[in-house]
Amino acid sequence: MDINTKDLKKNAFRVTKVRGITSSRIRVPGGLLKAEYLGKIQEIAEKYGNGTVNLTSRQGFEIPGIPFEKIPEVNQALQEIIDGTGVNQTGKERGEGYPASGTRNVSACVGNRVCPYACYDTTALAQKIEKVIFPDDLHVKIVLTGCPNDCQKVRMGDIGIMGMTEPQLDPERCISCGACIKACRSKSVDALTKVHFRPERDTYKCIGCGECVNACPNLAWTRSRKKYYRVTLLGRTGKKNPRMGVDFIKWADEDSIIQIIKNTYDYVRHYINPDSPGGKEHIGYIVDRTGTEEFLRWALKDVHLPDIAEVYTPLNWNGIEYAHNKYFGNQRYHEDGTIVTDFSEDKPKR
């Protein structure tokens, strides 16, 4: 059976090593779904696939072993899961499956629905972002984590969103036990000191982790009612120049983050290299070409950050750089660029 592989990918099916066989790619925004849908995935895998399911690194499912001719039936069977997980199906009719292939599933840690360290509901924000960015073919990875423990590794994504809280101290409840200071020193960044028998927070050093809140035995410290976030940018893995994302904004708010994401997609569409493999290109490569100031001009358009927010400028980052073709192996070079041929200085002294 002949098939258009581009259409296949845009319908969230994978090209596999076996001719005529594909895998269905099911995304789960925020990584949370009702247990009843696991049974539905099992049913599809056993009826149309080879009876196995792969849990992907981005909190989705792959059902392998599906013959091309069964794709329409699989898409029909997937509709119940699409409805239940809140996937944005714009661009597809009901029963036509998942739209888009470029932008990856918005992944998230369990957030404050479960974890006592998390500063916000990661699943809710992931599902909100899902509605904003899908369907889209741009190669973008957005990652959410509830606190600076960064269990979800946000700095590996193009856009990372890390939960923060601005700790609030009620001095009337403080019993000067020092538990918060000890916790901040041993588990975080040592941003608390004792002044006149009360903890005092260094607002510059504080990363908004909430360790002081968890450690206080008398509820003197509480999390701020307003949710704040640290935004990181331009992280990526892959063969060419992998690198960690860098801090972009500290103490951002949710509305600003949504606008920055929209602006970043506009920036990528404007500057993406049309000759890039598959029409996909990491944001970091584009920023390398245009410069960070041009990226910031796009990213911060119509963004109204809270007064507490701090924008990191300039954005400086680097990663693994592979040598040019004229260099080979582990050769060493003189300052003038010529190759070192005399290694006598490397020999151990007797």
Side-chain angles (χ1 to χ4, degrees):
M1 177 180 177
D2 292 331
I3 196 164
N4 186 315
T5 56
K6 288 186 178 180
D7 290 342
L8 184 79
K9 294 176 181 178
K10 288 186 177 183
N11 198 185
F13 285 88
R14 180 191 287 278
V15 175
T16 72
K17 296 172 68 175
V18 182
R19 184 178 294 276
I21 298 296
T22 184
S23 293
S24 173
R25 310 179 77 176
I26 302 171
R27 67 175 185 265
V28 183
L32 181 70
L33 78 167
K34 293 182 178 179
E36 63 186 272
Y37 298 123
L38 295 176
K40 188 65 177 179
I41 292 170
Q42 176 188 0
E43 178 184 321
I44 296 171
E46 292 177 345
K47 184 175 181 179
Y48 301 105
N50 61 15
T52 66
V53 176
N54 181 42
L55 304 181
T56 74
S57 60
R58 299 201 60 79
Q59 297 182 324
F61 297 90
E62 276 203 23
I63 303 176
I66 298 171
F68 284 168
E69 60 269 19
K70 295 294 183 180
I71 289 176
E73 295 179 50
V74 171
N75 279 333
Q76 287 284 345
L78 287 171
Q79 190 60 52
E80 183 180 340
I81 301 172
I82 292 172
D83 291 339
T85 54
V87 165
N88 189 350
Q89 205 176 10
T90 300
K92 294 286 184 183
E93 298 293 332
R94 290 181 56 80
E96 290 186 351
Y98 288 80
S101 64
T103 291
R104 301 303 191 249
N105 184 53
V106 182
S107 60
C109 73
V110 295
N112 67 3
R113 296 188 187 185
V114 177
C115 180
Y117 295 100
C119 298
Y120 73 105
D121 187 338
T122 54
T123 300
L125 182 54
Q127 291 172 342
K128 186 174 183 179
I129 294 172
E130 155 82 21
K131 299 297 186 183
V132 171
I133 64 175
F134 280 98
D136 208 299
D137 288 335
L138 296 182
H139 188 71
V140 180
K141 296 175 181 175
I142 300 176
V143 189
L144 283 65
T145 196
C147 75
N149 282 335
D150 196 9
C151 297
Q152 201 59 27
K153 308 295 183 292
V154 299
R155 287 185 173 86
M156 302 298 286
D158 296 286
I159 301 173
I161 302 167
M162 180 185 295
M164 304 178 70
T165 187
E166 185 184 23
Q168 307 293 308
L169 177 67
D170 180 354
E172 297 300 318
R173 296 191 66 92
C174 179
I175 57 175
S176 304
C177 67
C180 58
I181 297 173
K182 182 179 179 181
C184 188
R185 182 182 302 121
S186 62
K187 296 182 178 181
S188 191
V189 295
D190 198 15
L192 296 178
T193 55
K194 184 174 285 190
V195 178
H196 303 306
F197 302 100
R198 292 288 187 272
E200 185 171 285
R201 184 172 68 97
D202 184 330
T203 57
Y204 179 77
K205 290 179 67 176
C206 178
I207 60 173
C209 63
E211 287 287 353
C212 53
V213 177
N214 291 339
C216 183
N218 209 41
L219 303 181
W221 284 106
T222 55
R223 298 180 187 273
S224 55
R225 288 182 177 272
K226 192 166 185 179
K227 305 297 182 184
Y228 293 104
Y229 308 86
R230 181 187 299 268
V231 181
T232 66
L233 290 175
L234 312 178
R236 61 167 180 259
T237 56
K239 308 176 191 72
K240 184 179 179 182
N241 189 216
R243 60 194 182 191
M244 297 284 283
V246 295
D247 287 350
F248 175 35
I249 301 175
K250 182 181 178 183
W251 307 110
D253 64 318
E254 183 178 304
D255 290 341
S256 296
I257 290 172
I258 296 295
Q259 187 61 47
I260 288 169
I261 291 172
K262 291 179 180 178
N263 291 344
T264 300
Y265 270 74
D266 290 340
Y267 162 82
V268 173
R269 288 190 187 92
H270 185 80
Y271 283 112
I272 192 169
N273 178 7
D275 296 325
S276 58
K280 298 181 176 69
E281 187 176 25
H282 277 290
I283 299 172
Y285 295 137
I286 303 173
V287 176
D288 287 341
R289 291 201 311 273
T290 69
T292 55
E293 289 191 10
E294 178 65 6
F295 168 72
L296 293 174
R297 186 176 72 84
W298 282 76
L300 294 175
K301 181 182 178 182
D302 299 325
V303 173
H304 304 287
L305 292 166
D307 292 337
I308 192 177
E310 302 172 25
V311 179
Y312 289 79
T313 54
L315 289 177
N316 293 318
W317 76 98
N318 53 38
I320 296 173
E321 294 286 353
Y322 294 99
H324 296 293
N325 290 335
K326 64 181 179 179
Y327 299 148
F328 301 93
N330 295 318
Q331 290 172 335
R332 295 196 295 112
Y333 304 91
H334 294 296
E335 291 182 359
D336 62 3
T338 59
I339 298 175
V340 174
T341 57
D342 181 6
F343 294 93
S344 59
E345 293 184 0
D346 292 344
K347 295 179 180 179
K349 305 295 183 182
R350 293 187 180 274

